[in-house]
Amino acid sequence: MADNPGKSATQTHSTNLADQAPALVWLADANMLRYSFNNRWLTFTGRPLEQELQNGWTEAIHQEDVIRCFSTYSASFKAQTEFTVHYRLRRHDGAYRWLVEQGVPRYAADGAFTGFAGSCLDIDEVLKQQLEDLYKPSMIEQALNEELAATNEELSATNEELVTTNEELVESQHRLETMVDDLAGRDQKIRSIVESAPFPIGVYIGREMRIELANQSIIDVWGKGSDIVGRTYAEVLPELRDTGIYEQLDRVFTTGEPFHARNQRVDLVVDGKLQPFYFNYSFTPLYSAAGEIYGVMNTAAEITDLVVAKQQVEQSERNLHNMILQAPVAMCILLGPDYVVEVANEKMIELWGKPVKAVWNKPIFEGLPEAREQGLEQLLFDAYHNGVAYHASEQPVQLLRDGTIDTIYQNFVYEPYRDIDGTILGVIAITIEVTEQVMARRELEAREAELLLTKQRLEEELEAGKKLQAQKDSFIGIASHELKTPLTSLTAIIQIVGNKLKTSADPYIPTALEKANAQAKKMASLINGFLNISRLEAGKIVMDKQQFNLHKLLEETVDDLGMTTQGHTIELADSATTEVFADREKIGSVVSNLISNAIKYSHKGTSITVRSQVEDGFVKVSVTDTGVGISSNDINKLFERYYRVESSQNRHISGFGIGLYLSSEIIKQHQGRIWAESEEGIGSTFHFTLPLP
Amino acid sequence: MIKKVLLVENDRDTLDILIYILEDKGYHVISSATGAVLSRIHELQPDIIILDEWLDNGESGSEWCRRVKADNSTAGIPVLLISTHPRLEDIAHAAGADGFIKKPFDINGFCSTVERYLNS
């Protein structure tokens, strides 16, 4: 409150000058509030600076002078003109001394009005002399009266002089009336001065404190409307009962001792609501000409805004402290160049590992000596002196906790702590201990490294596995080659010999060679079957899909098999002419396998029927025989690898049981389905489906 | 005119049979168990080349086929790859061969394939 925001170095300089001046010197801002008094002033009044600041100085003005003095003061401010005023000011010894005060307006470089500077001189001695001179006419008047008395005496003696004397009396009466008028005019003047005073003034008459005068300012403060003159203070302000204010007024009235209150909270009913206000106020006794107290003058300065602002600052400081205390992370405020621990929350204390007493209100490096020389001093210095915020992550810090030095890891922030003007008061430190996270991450990193090793090992193993698979593949390739190569020559020889001996005299020979050829072919097909299985399992068979006409494929397959089959009829019935997107060769081998199975498992002379039909976005191919049929036990296992149905009826039938497995794998890779329906002794139907393109 | 068949077959027995079959059909068969004979291709001027895929010394029929097809003066000669290889079709296609014959084969099929390419 004492600080004027506009106060600059120049003003400080002029204050120093003023201290050396032989006069009482003051400075006021553009709002008439005085913010500076020289030492001579303070020595004169014997009051501390804070009591004089703003309008406090008026308290020491003689009650008879205060209104006049202040009205001149305020009028000059309004007009920004120089002024001279005389008033009595209470000296430190209680004596009122006449001063002459002169004020001059002051302007900033840009021409803006900045307030007034003033000086006062004690002219008490001089003025008293002048006053005496001033009162001389009244002595003349007294002499005149004496003369009048003498004249009266003469009146009784001399009748003639009566008229003259009467005339003189009338004249005297007239003068008296003029004086009364004059007095009334002065009263009016005073009233208007009080009215226009920018601070609350009230005058209460009698012990009942009847309001004689209340200026607009006090009316505004009270908030009770303007119709209050003539009512008593207690009537107007009933809410002040039990606050002691009535008693203060009464004491002033009865004892004549003025009462001054500072920063006083006064709750007033304004707009129908009891609201808190803050005042510096004075009650001063008013004396009649006869020296009797006839009333009390009340002057006040409302400082609610100041107090509220101060409270707000305090509250926001408290909020900050509370916020820090309740923060979920470690926080503290370190004040001043010694970084004194102003506030630190539990988390911070915990982090420091010290009893609260050991660190609270102590410079940080005194409370935590082991935190020295880790580079923190420089960081704090930068924050405090240079306003540089510092953010660190995962900083290792060594702290003595429970008797042992621990290395902990912290993410922390040092932020300059500024007041409202931006002046750095200290440093706010926020710390999050991340030791666990750092440790966890390190462990994670170690695990990751381990994992990487494992991965490398696995990759090596996989590589080895692939190599093995390649070897296996090449083994299958070689095995197949080695098996097929002799078979090639064998088959060729059998065929050549068969051709040559077709017309042999021995009828057995052509038949035998024919059988040998058939067996060789079967062998080739078995070798191919194994090769396919191996390749299928190694993922080496790729479906070479293309668009083709399924009907045509069925026709070709049926024709091919028909030519080489004796004893069975194969017919294609109800074949849908439809295009599919599939591996033609492999689908052909599936159909061929199903027809071959049907031939194998049905009696000679029966017929095998192939059908195809479109159903729900799929084409279904079915191969039906009237053979031995399949038991319900076996029907679901037919498509397993190496599964063979064991029965007395089919023991003579050769095969490794891989045909249906291979077929089912091929159909699966086409997103189709393969299954069988059968009744023992009646026959079987094998179906597969393929999605339509 | 008698057609010249250049036959390269690694397996001795198969080679003998093939020579027998082809000569029985009236072709002039120039045969070899290794690919070396192909270096004399300009001199030999065959009408067709039948190449085994798996040859000795790490050579492959498809590699020889590529060389034949890369040379403008020999690229027009039809080449048939013959092998037990399960992916023979792909290999033949990739090497630019005109056709392929899977082992074991039916001699009628073999003869008709050879005849077809000789006349094409």
Side-chain angles (χ1 to χ4, degrees):
Chain A
M1 137 172 179
D3 231 16
N4 183 290
K7 194 171 166 180
S8 67
T10 331
Q11 281 167 341
T12 313
H13 181 62
S14 45
T15 310
N16 291 338
L17 269 178
D19 279 343
Q20 290 160 28
L24 279 57
V25 178
W26 52 265
L27 294 172
D29 66 14
N31 296 315
M32 296 168 51
L33 298 173
R34 295 192 179 179
Y35 62 84
S36 180
F37 295 89
N38 69 349
N39 284 333
R40 202 171 281 267
W41 178 294
L42 300 176
T43 312
F44 180 89
T45 59
R47 285 150 51 92
L49 176 67
E50 54 268 27
Q51 277 190 34
E52 302 287 28
L53 288 171
Q54 304 227 356
N55 288 329
W57 61 278
T58 56
E59 290 165 2
I61 298 178
H62 195 283
Q63 46 146 334
E64 288 173 14
D65 300 340
V66 67
I67 291 164
R68 178 177 49 82
C69 169
F70 208 83
S71 77
T72 309
Y73 185 63
S74 65
S76 305
F77 262 82
K78 265 181 214 156
Q80 295 177 20
T81 53
E82 288 185 28
F83 69 88
T84 304
V85 66
H86 296 82
Y87 61 87
R88 278 163 288 177
L89 191 66
R90 193 173 60 236
R91 203 165 58 178
H92 54 86
D93 58 1
Y96 283 95
R97 304 283 290 177
W98 277 101
L99 301 181
V100 59
E101 177 172 292
Q102 287 186 300
V104 287
R106 301 190 315 136
Y107 300 94
D110 62 358
F113 173 61
T114 58
F116 265 69
S119 63
C120 311
L121 287 173
D122 185 341
I123 50 155
D124 200 63
E125 300 304 332
V126 182
L127 201 71
K128 273 182 182 149
Q129 190 56 52
Q130 283 179 356
L131 274 175
E132 271 174 31
D133 295 345
L134 210 65
Y135 277 106
K136 271 178 188 159
S138 67
M139 287 162 77
I140 294 167
E141 207 172 327
Q142 208 178 333
L144 197 74
N145 280 341
E146 280 169 13
E147 240 173 85
L148 258 173
T151 311
N152 270 339
E153 278 174 29
E154 281 173 32
L155 184 70
S156 59
T158 318
N159 243 347
E160 292 158 359
E161 287 175 14
L162 188 63
V163 175
T164 321
T165 307
N166 269 347
E167 279 170 6
E168 279 174 358
L169 267 171
V170 167
E171 195 183 325
S172 182
Q173 174 93 21
H174 182 68
R175 239 172 36 217
L176 212 61
E177 274 169 11
T178 312
M179 276 173 74
V180 168
D181 281 352
D182 202 32
L183 263 173
R186 271 191 207 173
D187 187 50
Q188 192 52 47
K189 220 181 212 168
I190 288 166
R191 280 175 186 274
S192 82
I193 289 165
V194 169
E195 282 300 329
S196 60
F199 58 90
I201 300 174
V203 173
Y204 320 132
I205 305 296
R207 197 169 176 179
E208 78 270 27
M209 296 293 141
R210 196 161 294 284
I211 297 164
E212 164 80 7
L213 197 59
N215 70 354
Q216 193 54 48
S217 183
I218 208 164
I219 286 168
D220 290 345
V221 166
W222 286 345
K224 300 293 192 299
S226 51
D227 186 24
I228 51 173
V229 173
R231 295 163 67 193
T232 66
Y233 188 82
E235 279 166 15
V236 174
L237 298 163
E239 62 265 40
L240 299 185
R241 186 180 309 284
D242 303 331
T243 62
I245 292 176
Y246 296 167
E247 290 74 14
Q248 289 161 8
L249 280 168
D250 195 57
R251 210 171 303 124
V252 172
F253 189 85
T254 51
T255 65
E257 281 170 25
F259 179 84
H260 306 289
R262 303 196 56 78
N263 296 331
Q264 189 65 47
R265 175 175 164 159
V266 178
D267 290 358
L268 294 172
V269 175
V270 173
D271 301 331
K273 257 190 327 203
L274 195 64
Q275 299 178 36
F277 294 89
Y278 291 85
F279 296 97
N280 290 344
Y281 65 83
S282 297
F283 294 141
T284 32
L286 294 175
Y287 292 90
S288 68
E292 284 173 358
I293 295 170
Y294 69 87
V296 173
M297 180 172 72
N298 175 195
T299 55
E302 197 202 327
I303 52 165
T304 307
D305 288 350
L306 275 169
V307 172
V308 167
K310 198 175 158 206
Q311 284 174 348
Q312 276 171 351
V313 168
E314 284 166 2
Q315 184 59 43
S316 72
E317 210 154 275
R318 269 200 299 280
N319 286 347
L320 179 67
H321 284 203
N322 279 338
M323 193 190 87
I324 286 171
L325 290 174
Q326 291 161 16
V329 296
M331 284 182 88
C332 67
I333 294 180
L334 307 175
L335 277 190
D338 292 331
Y339 316 119
V340 173
V341 178
E342 155 91 354
V343 59
N345 64 4
E346 247 176 68
K347 280 200 189 302
M348 189 55 109
I349 300 282
E350 196 180 303
L351 198 66
W352 288 337
K354 292 278 159 82
V356 179
K357 272 190 194 164
V359 287
W360 202 274
N361 282 328
K362 282 190 184 164
I364 186 76
F365 290 114
E366 197 178 291
L368 294 170
E370 67 275 16
R372 285 179 189 159
E373 285 164 23
Q374 297 182 42
L376 302 179
E377 295 91 332
Q378 187 58 44
L379 302 178
L380 286 170
F381 184 92
D382 283 346
Y384 182 76
H385 293 278
N386 305 326
V388 178
Y390 181 79
H391 298 248
S393 86
E394 296 183 4
Q395 185 94 0
V397 176
Q398 309 225 318
L399 284 182
L400 185 69
R401 294 205 285 200
D402 305 328
T404 52
I405 295 270
D406 273 353
T407 299
I408 59 165
Y409 293 86
Q410 300 175 336
N411 289 352
F412 62 82
V413 176
Y414 288 155
E415 197 77 50
Y417 172 46
R418 297 169 191 274
D419 70 6
I420 199 158
D421 297 332
T423 310
I424 298 174
L425 304 175
V427 178
I428 296 185
I430 303 168
T431 303
I432 304 169
E433 186 176 344
V434 290
T435 311
E436 269 178 38
Q437 287 92 319
V438 169
M439 293 304 171
R441 206 196 52 242
R442 288 198 176 166
E443 197 175 319
L444 203 67
E445 280 165 1
R447 294 236 177 113
E448 267 171 14
E450 217 170 273
L451 209 63
L452 195 71
L453 280 177
T454 310
K455 196 184 156 207
Q456 279 167 355
R457 208 184 65 234
L458 282 174
E459 274 169 0
E460 278 162 22
E461 279 173 11
L462 189 69
E463 205 48 49
K466 273 184 185 167
K467 215 165 169 183
L468 201 71
Q469 184 65 44
Q471 280 169 355
K472 199 173 137 196
D473 284 353
S474 96
F475 168 75
I476 292 160
I478 290 163
S480 130
H481 177 69
E482 293 302 321
L483 289 168
K484 282 177 179 176
T485 302
L487 200 60
T488 305
S489 51
L490 188 66
T491 314
I493 290 164
I494 291 166
Q495 286 177 6
I496 292 162
V497 173
N499 284 345
K500 298 286 171 186
L501 296 181
K502 233 183 238 170
T503 52
S504 171
D506 187 343
Y508 175 73
I509 289 169
T511 324
L513 286 170
E514 219 172 89
K515 281 187 177 163
N517 191 31
Q519 292 301 325
K521 275 190 178 171
K522 189 178 275 176
M523 204 164 186
S525 121
L526 289 173
I527 293 166
N528 275 332
F530 278 118
L531 190 63
N532 282 339
I533 295 274
S534 302
R535 292 176 63 219
L536 192 77
E537 285 174 353
K540 292 245 165 156
I541 289 188
V542 180
M543 295 297 143
D544 180 17
K545 290 182 184 177
Q546 52 185 315
Q547 187 121 341
F548 66 89
N549 188 302
L550 182 65
H551 173 77
K552 217 166 175 189
L553 176 70
L554 294 178
E555 219 169 42
E556 278 171 23
T557 313
V558 166
D559 286 352
D560 281 355
L561 285 169
M563 274 197 277
T564 54
T565 306
Q566 284 150 1
H568 290 88
T569 318
I570 309 166
E571 53 180 29
L572 181 62
D574 305 333
S575 175
T577 305
T578 178
E579 295 276 318
V580 289
F581 187 73
D583 186 322
R584 192 176 199 275
E585 197 193 317
K586 296 199 179 64
I587 297 299
S589 76
V590 172
V591 177
S592 178
N593 177 253
L594 294 181
I595 297 173
S596 298
N597 280 344
I599 292 167
K600 265 193 255 177
Y601 293 96
S602 60
H603 305 293
K604 284 200 169 179
T606 60
S607 64
I608 290 139
T609 311
V610 180
R611 287 189 180 81
S612 77
Q613 54 200 112
V614 172
E615 277 180 5
D616 302 328
F618 285 83
V619 60
K620 184 172 83 177
V621 176
S622 313
V623 176
T624 307
D625 66 59
T626 52
V628 294
I630 307 153
S631 78
S632 53
N633 274 343
D634 293 321
I635 203 154
N636 294 322
K637 297 175 188 162
L638 285 174
F639 300 97
E640 289 174 12
R641 183 165 62 161
Y642 307 133
Y643 189 80
R644 261 176 66 83
V645 177
E646 290 300 332
S647 84
S648 55
Q649 283 183 320
N650 64 18
R651 202 156 289 149
H652 65 283
I653 298 167
S654 64
F656 289 112
I658 54 176
L660 285 177
Y661 169 68
L662 201 58
S663 295
S664 102
E665 289 299 313
I666 290 167
I667 296 301
K668 271 186 215 162
Q669 293 213 27
H670 281 88
Q671 284 76 47
R673 205 163 72 81
I674 187 164
W675 73 102
E677 290 163 0
S678 184
E679 210 173 314
E680 271 185 293
I682 304 287
S684 314
T685 300
F686 282 78
H687 308 276
F688 71 84
T689 62
L690 289 174
L692 290 174
Chain B
M1 199 175 76
I2 302 285
K3 301 285 170 90
K4 261 182 280 183
V5 178
L6 181 59
L7 175 67
V8 182
E9 167 58 58
N10 180 255
D11 181 62
R12 199 69 232 181
D13 288 345
T14 309
L15 182 67
D16 287 346
I17 302 258
L18 289 176
I19 293 168
Y20 179 84
I21 294 166
L22 291 167
E23 288 185 342
D24 194 43
K25 288 282 174 184
Y27 301 126
H28 173 203
V29 181
I30 303 156
S31 66
S32 169
T34 69
V37 70
L38 285 155
S39 52
R40 289 162 59 211
I41 191 168
H42 291 103
E43 177 199 333
L44 298 173
Q45 291 288 321
D47 294 297
I48 191 165
I49 303 167
I50 299 169
L51 269 175
D52 189 6
E53 167 63 7
W54 274 316
L55 300 173
D56 283 349
N57 308 321
E59 293 185 327
S60 73
S62 51
E63 192 45 49
W64 278 112
C65 174
R66 275 193 188 87
R67 286 189 221 171
V68 169
K69 293 296 176 186
D71 183 341
N72 281 338
S73 62
T74 58
I77 305 169
V79 178
L80 301 179
L81 283 184
I82 180 165
S83 175
T84 60
H85 201 291
R87 281 168 34 240
L88 182 60
E89 187 176 354
D90 297 342
I91 291 166
H93 184 74
D98 298 83
F100 63 93
I101 296 163
K102 279 189 173 182
K103 290 179 185 176
F105 48 79
D106 184 278
I107 57 166
N108 294 328
F110 175 80
C111 289
S112 64
T113 307
V114 174
E115 206 171 325
R116 194 162 75 240
Y117 283 100
L118 267 174
N119 297 332
S120 66

